[in-house]
Amino acid sequence: MGKNNSIQEAFSETPSNFIKDIIEEDLRTGKHTTVITRFPPEPNGYLHIGHAKSIVLNFGLARAFRGRCHLRFDDTNPTKEEEEFVEAIKEDVRWLGYDWGAHLYFASDYFDNLYEYAVELIKRGLAYVCDLSADEIRQYRGTLTEPGRESPYRNRSIEENLNLFERMRKGEFKDGERVLRAKIDMASGNINMRDPVLYRIMHVPHHRTGDKWCIYPTYDFTHCLSDSIEGITHSICTIEFEDHRPLYDWVLDALETPRHPQQIEFARLNLTYTVMSKRKLKVLVEDGHVDGWDDPRMPTISGMRRRGIPPEAIREFCRRIGVAKRESVVDIALLEHCIREFLNKTAPRVMGVLRPLKVVIENYPQNKTEMLECLNNPEDMSYGSRLVPFAREIYIEQDDFMETPHKKFYRLAPGREVRLRYAYFIKCIDFKKDADGNIVELRCTYDPETKGGNAPDGRKVKATLHWVSKEHAVDAEVRLYDRLFKEPYPDRTRDGRPFTDFLNPDSLITLKGCKLEPSLLKAKAGERYQFERNGYFCLDSKASTPESPVFNRIVTLKDVWAKIKRQLRQ
Ligand code: ATP
Ligand code: MG
């Protein structure tokens, strides 16, 4: 009964999916009494939103079933890995809202165990030292349609193999001179089973083990054994490892390990207008297409954090996309929708003018300042209100005025009256142009009777504009971000053109001299605001200084996803 209850609860927390079904069944049948998953990043780059899917899944399942999730660095390749990435990955996982507790592991912690396991395989006649070069191994491997050929070194005696493997470890051979291979089946239909390499020689120091080792285990040998050593119950990975599962099981069976975790594969996340592989993200960084791994346009966790995207929105997005076996490309509009949905509920409203146009209210007293009460969230009174200064000279958006308005333009125009949010009705009586014909100033009058935004005589206006007092405005730089690629599928190459050909040249627009209401002076990095009518914004943690604040646009207000959904329903 107790167990059933906790399973029920788990179902209500995370949507059901086939992996959850498997776990539930394993708990029901008593195959397992607890759930232990792991998230196994390779510390060779920064995490991206695809990893977030895996993190939310692994940590989420552990949480749902009151088990635990380990954070294990899969650090078996000393040539590509760096300590910098280890710390960044930990920070990203924590920021996403997950905690591995005491269960932080490194595959390199198991190098001694793995070596012992390899020796055991040799002793069981199931592994051998092979002197073929990497090229020769490839040639002998065969193809999808042709079986492979056996290595001439395949039938070495156990003694000779033990001796050679020991000498490999001692550093007697050069890189690539010998490898340790599993002795499985060169005719197997699954190429991964054609005597895969288990250990290779690399005279390269490791970020954690220093120069203790000059032989390093491969992913296939390491992963299953690390899972087994840690007592992982369900080893969840992406589809490309499906063909490796027979090898995963073979290694554990061959060694008769006391624990044999179950590998389960799911489809990786792909997003439109985005590239996801670390290799491609690296190209963007190294070729200077973006300003580092944490550029706010990057799909990395650090980039999204810097942009101001809340972790709650990422988690919700991961829950909504669900978990399936089939590869698909998720519309980035869904992510944007989740971000808006969260920010709409949580981000206080403020006023900021991005492209300022000066307005002089001629009949407003010269040296007067009024403090007007503005709501922090009109949809939730518990957010309270703040006082915003109003004076004779203010800024509005340039595009809120048209000299000769077209039919559907309801905002300010000569002779027309509009409402200033939380303030008064104003009417445009004149405007000034510079030598190039640009409108540089509006002359208006206000109606003191309309304070708060309504006319006592009941007359209506068709538009409400946001504004900022000129004298009190905070000057800021604002960075408007758009999708990094202009094509929905930048990954699918066309006519041999590289993915970088499809970068969106307007993915960053920098506006200087924006005018923000003075309450934003105390904005802290990471705080998120809705600039009324302009979108959601967040103070940039890197580029901002107290003297010259920089705000990032997290996302616009316009919800494309909601529109797509409406269209689908029609
Ligand atoms: P990339 O292909 O982007 O370089 P990777 O798979 O090499 O990523 P790892 O550090 O090995 O990166 O990944 C850690 C975990 O995250 C693995 O379990 C991997 O399957 C998972 N993962 C990586 N990319 C995605 C994705 N796009 N969707 C879901 N899970 C992912
Ligand atoms: Mg990988």
Side-chain angles (χ1 to χ4, degrees):
M1 180 67 196
K3 200 184 207 173
N4 268 335
N5 270 344
S6 65
I7 290 168
Q8 284 297 305
E9 263 176 57
F11 265 89
S12 58
E13 278 171 36
T14 27
S16 116
N17 61 55
F18 76 98
I19 300 180
K20 207 164 170 182
D21 293 347
I22 293 172
I23 295 178
E24 193 221 6
E25 184 65 6
D26 288 347
L27 292 172
R28 200 185 56 77
T29 59
K31 178 178 174 191
H32 296 294
T33 51
T34 182
V35 176
I36 307 174
T37 56
R38 85 284 170 269
F39 173 65
E42 193 181 342
N44 63 351
Y46 288 81
L47 297 184
H48 52 59
I49 182 137
H51 294 114
K53 177 178 181 180
S54 175
I55 292 169
V56 170
L57 181 61
N58 278 295
F59 280 92
L61 285 169
R63 189 178 284 175
F65 290 104
R66 297 181 208 289
R68 62 175 200 252
C69 180
H70 297 182
L71 175 61
R72 183 200 313 141
F73 287 96
D74 176 16
D75 57 350
T76 52
N77 185 348
T79 60
K80 290 193 289 180
E81 290 151 8
E82 286 173 38
E83 199 57 37
E84 173 201 350
F85 297 127
V86 170
E87 289 314 309
I89 290 170
K90 283 201 241 170
E91 187 186 353
D92 288 349
V93 175
R94 255 188 236 115
W95 178 78
L96 275 173
Y98 297 104
D99 183 6
W100 51 90
H103 300 281
L104 172 66
Y105 301 104
F106 291 83
S108 55
D109 290 344
Y110 309 132
F111 281 171
D112 285 308
N113 311 55
L114 294 171
Y115 183 80
E116 290 308 316
Y117 275 127
V119 168
E120 180 60 29
L121 270 188
I122 296 172
K123 286 183 181 161
R124 292 181 181 216
L126 294 172
Y128 62 97
V129 172
C130 180
D131 302 359
L132 293 179
S133 68
D135 269 348
E136 287 165 333
I137 290 181
R138 216 168 295 126
Q139 285 158 20
Y140 274 74
R141 191 176 290 138
T143 63
L144 284 174
T145 48
E146 277 171 54
R149 280 177 295 142
E150 292 189 354
S151 160
Y153 306 99
R154 197 174 199 260
N155 295 314
R156 277 178 163 150
S157 70
I158 290 173
E159 287 65 37
E160 190 183 1
N161 280 317
L162 285 174
N163 174 272
L164 285 171
F165 189 50
E166 166 77 13
R167 290 170 58 201
M168 275 170 65
R169 183 180 68 77
K170 282 188 177 152
E172 290 185 22
F173 310 116
K174 290 201 281 293
D175 287 8
E177 226 174 275
R178 292 193 156 88
V179 291
L180 183 74
R181 298 176 70 176
K183 195 172 187 173
I184 310 179
D185 178 6
M186 289 308 291
S188 171
N190 182 338
I191 292 182
N192 292 301
M193 299 298 272
R194 294 183 189 169
D195 291 9
V197 173
L198 305 179
Y199 264 92
R200 54 236 191 293
I201 301 171
M202 293 166 109
H203 289 270
V204 177
H206 185 277
H207 75 116
R208 284 179 64 85
T209 57
D211 48 19
K212 177 171 175 194
W213 298 92
C214 63
I215 56 171
Y216 291 97
T218 55
Y219 170 87
D220 283 318
F221 188 60
T222 309
H223 205 80
C224 52
L225 287 167
S226 305
D227 282 347
S228 170
I229 291 166
E230 290 175 21
I232 301 299
T233 55
H234 301 85
S235 178
I236 301 164
C237 61
T238 38
I239 285 289
E240 69 270 23
F241 292 104
E242 194 167 24
D243 290 345
H244 295 242
R245 185 173 2 114
L247 180 53
Y248 185 105
D249 290 331
W250 182 91
V251 171
L252 298 182
D253 286 340
L255 288 162
E256 295 173 278
T257 54
R259 290 182 293 216
H260 190 135
Q262 180 182 1
Q263 176 179 306
I264 307 169
E265 308 86 15
F266 71 99
R268 57 172 48 228
L269 169 66
N270 302 296
L271 263 188
T272 56
Y273 298 97
T274 311
V275 295
M276 205 79 94
S277 97
K278 270 184 271 192
R279 193 178 51 76
K280 289 186 176 158
L281 296 176
K282 213 171 157 159
V283 169
L284 292 178
V285 173
E286 288 177 355
D287 294 354
H289 296 292
V290 295
D291 167 33
W293 287 96
D294 65 350
D295 184 300
R297 293 165 292 178
M298 289 281 271
T300 50
I301 306 292
S302 51
M304 293 192 290
R305 175 168 59 234
R306 184 170 160 203
R307 171 127 163 205
I309 294 172
E312 293 88 346
I314 298 175
R315 293 202 298 266
E316 180 58 24
F317 168 73
C318 291
R319 275 194 283 268
R320 285 211 201 159
I321 57 175
V323 179
K325 278 254 176 207
R326 232 195 40 225
E327 285 278 339
S328 65
V329 185
V330 175
D331 194 324
I332 198 168
L334 176 60
L335 173 62
E336 293 163 354
H337 173 76
C338 293
I339 298 167
R340 272 185 204 104
E341 198 175 59
F342 182 79
L343 292 177
N344 182 45
K345 281 191 245 126
T346 55
R349 313 301 205 256
V350 292
M351 292 193 284
V353 175
L354 303 187
R355 296 174 179 90
L357 171 62
K358 184 178 155 190
V359 176
V360 179
I361 303 168
E362 292 190 342
N363 61 337
Y364 195 89
Q366 285 280 356
N367 294 314
K368 182 172 170 181
T369 301
E370 274 181 280
M371 298 304 287
L372 300 180
E373 186 176 15
C374 301
L375 295 177
N376 295 333
N377 187 346
E379 283 167 35
D380 185 346
M381 289 305 148
S382 71
Y383 277 69
S385 62
R386 68 195 185 287
L387 294 173
V388 177
F390 183 79
R392 180 181 158 90
E393 295 189 346
I394 59 168
Y395 292 111
I396 64 168
E397 297 287 348
Q398 283 165 17
D399 64 6
D400 278 340
F401 176 81
M402 275 186 95
E403 183 182 351
T404 34
H406 55 70
K407 247 189 170 163
K408 288 203 167 151
F409 187 85
Y410 299 119
R411 290 165 277 164
L412 207 52
R416 191 180 283 173
E417 191 171 51
V418 296
R419 176 189 293 110
L420 292 179
R421 185 85 156 137
Y422 301 115
Y424 296 98
F425 285 9
I426 57 165
K427 188 181 205 164
C428 176
I429 52 169
D430 199 6
F431 56 89
K432 288 185 186 166
K433 285 185 179 177
D434 66 11
D436 300 326
N438 300 310
I439 290 160
V440 290
E441 185 180 308
L442 302 185
R443 310 294 293 190
C444 293
T445 55
Y446 86 117
D447 177 356
E449 297 296 313
T450 57
K451 185 166 180 178
N454 287 306
D457 63 6
R459 79 182 185 278
K460 298 276 183 248
V461 288
K462 283 196 169 149
T464 301
L465 312 185
H466 61 278
W467 51 272
V468 170
S469 159
K470 177 169 177 276
E471 185 193 338
H472 306 89
V474 175
D475 272 293
E477 177 179 319
V478 169
R479 297 177 180 176
L480 304 179
Y481 298 106
D482 198 353
R483 292 161 182 179
L484 189 50
F485 291 90
K486 54 182 194 268
E487 292 285 325
Y489 306 104
D491 261 336
R492 298 182 189 166
T493 49
R494 272 145 290 192
D495 317 325
R497 291 167 71 190
F499 74 99
T500 45
D501 270 17
F502 307 113
L503 281 161
N504 173 8
D506 299 320
S507 60
L508 168 61
I509 293 173
T510 302
L511 300 176
K512 296 195 194 260
C514 304
K515 304 288 181 181
L516 312 181
E517 68 166 68
S519 74
L520 285 164
L521 256 186
K522 56 177 196 332
K524 292 190 200 66
E527 276 176 2
R528 306 173 184 98
Y529 295 90
Q530 184 189 121
F531 289 7
E532 293 207 19
R533 301 174 64 227
N534 273 324
Y536 295 99
F537 293 80
C538 164
L539 193 73
D540 189 277
S541 54
K542 239 179 165 176
S544 265
T545 63
E547 296 74 40
S548 40
V550 176
F551 281 86
N552 295 320
R553 183 171 69 195
I554 307 168
V555 70
T556 59
L557 294 173
K558 201 170 89 199
D559 196 332
V560 192
W561 182 254
K563 203 171 140 200
I564 295 172
K565 268 196 358 201
R566 272 199 305 278
Q567 283 167 351
L568 286 178
R569 259 189 254 121
Q570 278 164 9

Short mmCIF file of all heavy atoms in Angstrom, two decimals, residues 38-44 47-54 58 74 89 236-238 240-241 266-270 276-279 281, ligand 1:
data_model
loop_
_atom_site.label_atom_id
_atom_site.label_comp_id
_atom_site.label_asym_id
_atom_site.label_seq_id
_atom_site.Cartn_x
_atom_site.Cartn_y
_atom_site.Cartn_z
N ARG A 38 21.76 8.23 -13.10
CA ARG A 38 22.96 9.07 -13.11
C ARG A 38 22.91 9.98 -14.33
O ARG A 38 22.30 9.66 -15.34
CB ARG A 38 24.25 8.25 -13.11
CG ARG A 38 24.72 7.80 -14.48
CD ARG A 38 23.92 6.65 -15.03
NE ARG A 38 24.22 6.39 -16.42
CZ ARG A 38 23.58 6.93 -17.45
NH1 ARG A 38 22.60 7.76 -17.26
NH2 ARG A 38 23.94 6.65 -18.67
N PHE A 39 23.56 11.15 -14.18
CA PHE A 39 23.77 12.02 -15.34
C PHE A 39 25.27 12.02 -15.59
O PHE A 39 26.04 12.41 -14.72
CB PHE A 39 23.25 13.43 -15.05
CG PHE A 39 23.60 14.39 -16.15
CD1 PHE A 39 23.08 14.22 -17.42
CD2 PHE A 39 24.47 15.45 -15.92
CE1 PHE A 39 23.43 15.07 -18.46
CE2 PHE A 39 24.82 16.32 -16.95
CZ PHE A 39 24.29 16.12 -18.22
N PRO A 40 25.70 11.53 -16.78
CA PRO A 40 27.13 11.30 -17.00
C PRO A 40 27.79 12.20 -18.06
O PRO A 40 28.17 11.73 -19.12
CB PRO A 40 27.13 9.85 -17.51
CG PRO A 40 25.84 9.78 -18.33
CD PRO A 40 24.89 10.82 -17.79
N PRO A 41 27.94 13.49 -17.80
CA PRO A 41 28.54 14.35 -18.81
C PRO A 41 30.04 14.10 -18.99
O PRO A 41 30.73 13.73 -18.04
CB PRO A 41 28.33 15.76 -18.25
CG PRO A 41 28.31 15.56 -16.77
CD PRO A 41 27.64 14.23 -16.56
N GLU A 42 30.49 14.32 -20.21
CA GLU A 42 31.92 14.29 -20.48
C GLU A 42 32.41 15.73 -20.29
O GLU A 42 31.86 16.63 -20.92
CB GLU A 42 32.13 13.83 -21.93
CG GLU A 42 33.54 13.47 -22.23
CD GLU A 42 33.72 13.03 -23.68
OE1 GLU A 42 32.73 12.68 -24.35
OE2 GLU A 42 34.88 13.06 -24.14
N PRO A 43 33.41 15.95 -19.45
CA PRO A 43 33.80 17.35 -19.20
C PRO A 43 34.64 17.93 -20.34
O PRO A 43 35.79 18.32 -20.14
CB PRO A 43 34.57 17.28 -17.88
CG PRO A 43 35.09 15.88 -17.83
CD PRO A 43 34.14 15.01 -18.60
N ASN A 44 34.06 17.99 -21.52
CA ASN A 44 34.79 18.52 -22.68
C ASN A 44 34.06 19.69 -23.32
O ASN A 44 34.27 20.02 -24.47
CB ASN A 44 35.05 17.42 -23.71
CG ASN A 44 33.74 16.87 -24.27
OD1 ASN A 44 32.66 17.18 -23.79
ND2 ASN A 44 33.84 16.04 -25.28
N LEU A 47 27.38 22.52 -20.88
CA LEU A 47 26.09 21.85 -21.07
C LEU A 47 25.16 22.72 -21.90
O LEU A 47 25.19 23.93 -21.82
CB LEU A 47 25.44 21.57 -19.71
CG LEU A 47 26.19 20.63 -18.77
CD1 LEU A 47 25.36 20.40 -17.51
CD2 LEU A 47 26.52 19.31 -19.45
N HIS A 48 24.31 22.05 -22.68
CA HIS A 48 23.31 22.77 -23.46
C HIS A 48 21.92 22.25 -23.11
O HIS A 48 21.76 21.36 -22.27
CB HIS A 48 23.62 22.66 -24.96
CG HIS A 48 23.82 21.25 -25.45
ND1 HIS A 48 22.86 20.28 -25.35
CD2 HIS A 48 24.91 20.66 -26.04
CE1 HIS A 48 23.31 19.16 -25.88
NE2 HIS A 48 24.57 19.36 -26.29
N ILE A 49 20.92 22.80 -23.79
CA ILE A 49 19.54 22.47 -23.42
C ILE A 49 19.21 20.99 -23.67
O ILE A 49 18.34 20.43 -23.02
CB ILE A 49 18.53 23.42 -24.09
CG1 ILE A 49 17.10 23.11 -23.65
CG2 ILE A 49 18.64 23.40 -25.61
CD1 ILE A 49 16.27 24.27 -23.35
N GLY A 50 19.97 20.36 -24.59
CA GLY A 50 19.80 18.92 -24.78
C GLY A 50 20.18 18.17 -23.51
O GLY A 50 19.49 17.25 -23.07
N HIS A 51 21.29 18.60 -22.91
CA HIS A 51 21.69 17.98 -21.63
C HIS A 51 20.62 18.23 -20.57
O HIS A 51 20.38 17.38 -19.72
CB HIS A 51 23.02 18.55 -21.15
CG HIS A 51 24.18 18.19 -22.03
ND1 HIS A 51 24.88 19.13 -22.76
CD2 HIS A 51 24.76 17.00 -22.32
CE1 HIS A 51 25.83 18.53 -23.44
NE2 HIS A 51 25.79 17.23 -23.20
N ALA A 52 20.00 19.41 -20.63
CA ALA A 52 18.96 19.72 -19.64
C ALA A 52 17.85 18.67 -19.70
O ALA A 52 17.32 18.26 -18.68
CB ALA A 52 18.39 21.12 -19.88
N LYS A 53 17.53 18.24 -20.91
CA LYS A 53 16.50 17.20 -21.04
C LYS A 53 16.91 15.94 -20.27
O LYS A 53 16.12 15.35 -19.54
CB LYS A 53 16.28 16.86 -22.52
CG LYS A 53 15.28 15.72 -22.75
CD LYS A 53 15.04 15.43 -24.22
CE LYS A 53 14.02 14.30 -24.38
NZ LYS A 53 13.75 13.98 -25.79
N SER A 54 18.17 15.57 -20.42
CA SER A 54 18.68 14.38 -19.74
C SER A 54 18.75 14.60 -18.22
O SER A 54 18.44 13.70 -17.43
CB SER A 54 20.06 14.05 -20.33
OG SER A 54 20.65 12.99 -19.64
N ASN A 58 16.73 12.36 -15.61
CA ASN A 58 17.42 11.52 -14.62
C ASN A 58 17.18 11.97 -13.19
O ASN A 58 16.84 11.16 -12.32
CB ASN A 58 18.92 11.49 -14.92
CG ASN A 58 19.26 10.50 -16.01
OD1 ASN A 58 19.09 9.29 -15.82
ND2 ASN A 58 19.72 10.98 -17.15
N ASP A 74 32.24 11.62 -16.96
CA ASP A 74 32.73 10.54 -17.80
C ASP A 74 34.05 11.02 -18.40
O ASP A 74 34.11 11.46 -19.54
CB ASP A 74 31.65 10.28 -18.86
CG ASP A 74 32.06 9.24 -19.87
OD1 ASP A 74 33.03 8.51 -19.59
OD2 ASP A 74 31.43 9.18 -20.93
N ILE A 89 29.94 22.63 -15.29
CA ILE A 89 28.85 21.66 -15.36
C ILE A 89 28.15 21.54 -14.01
O ILE A 89 26.92 21.52 -13.92
CB ILE A 89 29.37 20.28 -15.86
CG1 ILE A 89 29.75 20.40 -17.34
CG2 ILE A 89 28.35 19.18 -15.62
CD1 ILE A 89 30.50 19.20 -17.92
N ILE A 236 20.09 5.58 -18.21
CA ILE A 236 19.31 6.18 -19.28
C ILE A 236 20.21 6.99 -20.20
O ILE A 236 20.97 7.84 -19.74
CB ILE A 236 18.21 7.08 -18.66
CG1 ILE A 236 17.32 6.22 -17.75
CG2 ILE A 236 17.40 7.77 -19.74
CD1 ILE A 236 16.46 7.03 -16.81
N CYS A 237 20.15 6.69 -21.49
CA CYS A 237 21.04 7.38 -22.43
C CYS A 237 20.30 7.65 -23.73
O CYS A 237 19.16 7.23 -23.90
CB CYS A 237 22.29 6.56 -22.67
SG CYS A 237 21.91 4.98 -23.40
N THR A 238 20.98 8.32 -24.65
CA THR A 238 20.31 8.69 -25.90
C THR A 238 20.42 7.57 -26.93
O THR A 238 21.27 6.69 -26.83
CB THR A 238 20.86 10.03 -26.42
OG1 THR A 238 22.26 10.08 -26.18
CG2 THR A 238 20.20 11.19 -25.70
N GLU A 240 21.55 6.95 -29.80
CA GLU A 240 22.73 6.49 -30.54
C GLU A 240 23.47 5.38 -29.80
O GLU A 240 24.32 4.71 -30.38
CB GLU A 240 23.65 7.66 -30.91
CG GLU A 240 24.37 8.32 -29.76
CD GLU A 240 23.57 9.47 -29.14
OE1 GLU A 240 22.33 9.49 -29.30
OE2 GLU A 240 24.19 10.32 -28.50
N PHE A 241 23.14 5.17 -28.54
CA PHE A 241 23.79 4.09 -27.79
C PHE A 241 23.02 2.77 -27.84
O PHE A 241 23.43 1.79 -27.24
CB PHE A 241 24.03 4.52 -26.33
CG PHE A 241 25.05 5.61 -26.22
CD1 PHE A 241 24.66 6.92 -25.99
CD2 PHE A 241 26.39 5.34 -26.40
CE1 PHE A 241 25.60 7.94 -25.92
CE2 PHE A 241 27.34 6.35 -26.34
CZ PHE A 241 26.94 7.65 -26.10
N PHE A 266 16.54 6.89 -25.03
CA PHE A 266 15.47 7.81 -25.43
C PHE A 266 16.01 8.76 -26.49
O PHE A 266 17.22 8.89 -26.66
CB PHE A 266 14.94 8.60 -24.22
CG PHE A 266 15.91 9.63 -23.69
CD1 PHE A 266 15.78 10.97 -24.03
CD2 PHE A 266 16.95 9.25 -22.86
CE1 PHE A 266 16.69 11.92 -23.55
CE2 PHE A 266 17.86 10.19 -22.38
CZ PHE A 266 17.72 11.52 -22.72
N ALA A 267 15.10 9.42 -27.20
CA ALA A 267 15.50 10.30 -28.30
C ALA A 267 16.07 11.60 -27.77
O ALA A 267 15.54 12.20 -26.83
CB ALA A 267 14.29 10.60 -29.19
N ARG A 268 17.17 12.04 -28.39
CA ARG A 268 17.77 13.29 -27.94
C ARG A 268 16.92 14.47 -28.38
O ARG A 268 16.10 14.37 -29.28
CB ARG A 268 19.21 13.42 -28.41
CG ARG A 268 19.42 13.36 -29.91
CD ARG A 268 20.87 13.69 -30.27
NE ARG A 268 21.86 12.99 -29.48
CZ ARG A 268 22.91 13.60 -28.89
NH1 ARG A 268 23.09 14.88 -28.98
NH2 ARG A 268 23.78 12.89 -28.23
N LEU A 269 17.11 15.56 -27.68
CA LEU A 269 16.38 16.78 -28.01
C LEU A 269 17.07 17.51 -29.16
O LEU A 269 18.29 17.71 -29.15
CB LEU A 269 16.35 17.71 -26.78
CG LEU A 269 15.85 19.13 -27.04
CD1 LEU A 269 14.38 19.14 -27.45
CD2 LEU A 269 16.05 20.00 -25.80
N ASN A 270 16.29 17.86 -30.16
CA ASN A 270 16.74 18.78 -31.19
C ASN A 270 15.78 19.95 -31.20
O ASN A 270 14.59 19.77 -30.94
CB ASN A 270 16.71 18.11 -32.57
CG ASN A 270 17.56 16.86 -32.60
OD1 ASN A 270 18.76 16.91 -32.44
ND2 ASN A 270 16.91 15.71 -32.78
N MET A 276 23.06 21.87 -31.72
CA MET A 276 23.14 21.38 -30.35
C MET A 276 24.46 20.68 -30.06
O MET A 276 24.84 20.56 -28.92
CB MET A 276 21.98 20.41 -30.11
CG MET A 276 21.58 20.29 -28.68
SD MET A 276 20.58 21.66 -28.21
CE MET A 276 18.97 20.96 -28.51
N SER A 277 25.14 20.18 -31.10
CA SER A 277 26.31 19.38 -30.74
C SER A 277 27.43 20.27 -30.23
O SER A 277 27.62 21.40 -30.69
CB SER A 277 26.76 18.52 -31.92
OG SER A 277 27.81 19.16 -32.60
N LYS A 278 28.14 19.74 -29.24
CA LYS A 278 29.23 20.51 -28.63
C LYS A 278 30.25 20.93 -29.67
O LYS A 278 30.80 22.02 -29.59
CB LYS A 278 29.92 19.64 -27.57
CG LYS A 278 29.31 19.80 -26.19
CD LYS A 278 30.07 19.01 -25.15
CE LYS A 278 29.53 17.62 -25.04
NZ LYS A 278 30.01 16.85 -23.89
N ARG A 279 30.46 20.04 -30.65
CA ARG A 279 31.44 20.34 -31.68
C ARG A 279 31.04 21.61 -32.45
O ARG A 279 31.86 22.49 -32.69
CB ARG A 279 31.53 19.14 -32.64
CG ARG A 279 32.70 19.16 -33.58
CD ARG A 279 32.70 17.89 -34.44
NE ARG A 279 31.41 17.66 -35.10
CZ ARG A 279 30.97 18.34 -36.17
NH1 ARG A 279 31.72 19.29 -36.68
NH2 ARG A 279 29.79 18.07 -36.71
N LEU A 281 28.89 23.95 -31.41
CA LEU A 281 28.87 25.11 -30.50
C LEU A 281 30.28 25.65 -30.33
O LEU A 281 30.50 26.86 -30.25
CB LEU A 281 28.26 24.71 -29.15
CG LEU A 281 26.78 24.29 -29.20
CD1 LEU A 281 26.30 23.83 -27.83
CD2 LEU A 281 25.90 25.42 -29.72
P1 ATP B 1 26.98 16.41 -27.81
O1 ATP B 1 26.49 15.39 -28.77
O2 ATP B 1 26.16 17.64 -27.78
O3 ATP B 1 28.42 16.69 -27.94
P2 ATP B 1 27.34 14.44 -25.81
O4 ATP B 1 26.30 13.40 -25.88
O5 ATP B 1 28.65 14.13 -26.36
O6 ATP B 1 26.74 15.79 -26.39
P3 ATP B 1 27.84 14.11 -23.04
O7 ATP B 1 28.57 15.01 -22.12
O8 ATP B 1 28.44 12.82 -23.38
O9 ATP B 1 27.54 14.95 -24.35
O10 ATP B 1 26.35 13.93 -22.55
C1 ATP B 1 25.95 13.70 -21.24
C2 ATP B 1 24.57 13.14 -21.25
O11 ATP B 1 23.65 14.04 -21.86
C3 ATP B 1 24.50 11.85 -22.04
O12 ATP B 1 23.74 10.91 -21.32
C4 ATP B 1 23.82 12.25 -23.31
O13 ATP B 1 23.13 11.19 -23.87
C5 ATP B 1 22.92 13.38 -22.87
N1 ATP B 1 22.63 14.28 -23.97
C6 ATP B 1 23.50 14.93 -24.75
N2 ATP B 1 22.90 15.63 -25.71
C7 ATP B 1 21.56 15.42 -25.55
C8 ATP B 1 20.39 15.87 -26.22
N3 ATP B 1 20.45 16.68 -27.29
N4 ATP B 1 19.19 15.46 -25.76
C9 ATP B 1 19.11 14.66 -24.68
N5 ATP B 1 20.17 14.20 -24.00
C10 ATP B 1 21.39 14.57 -24.42
#
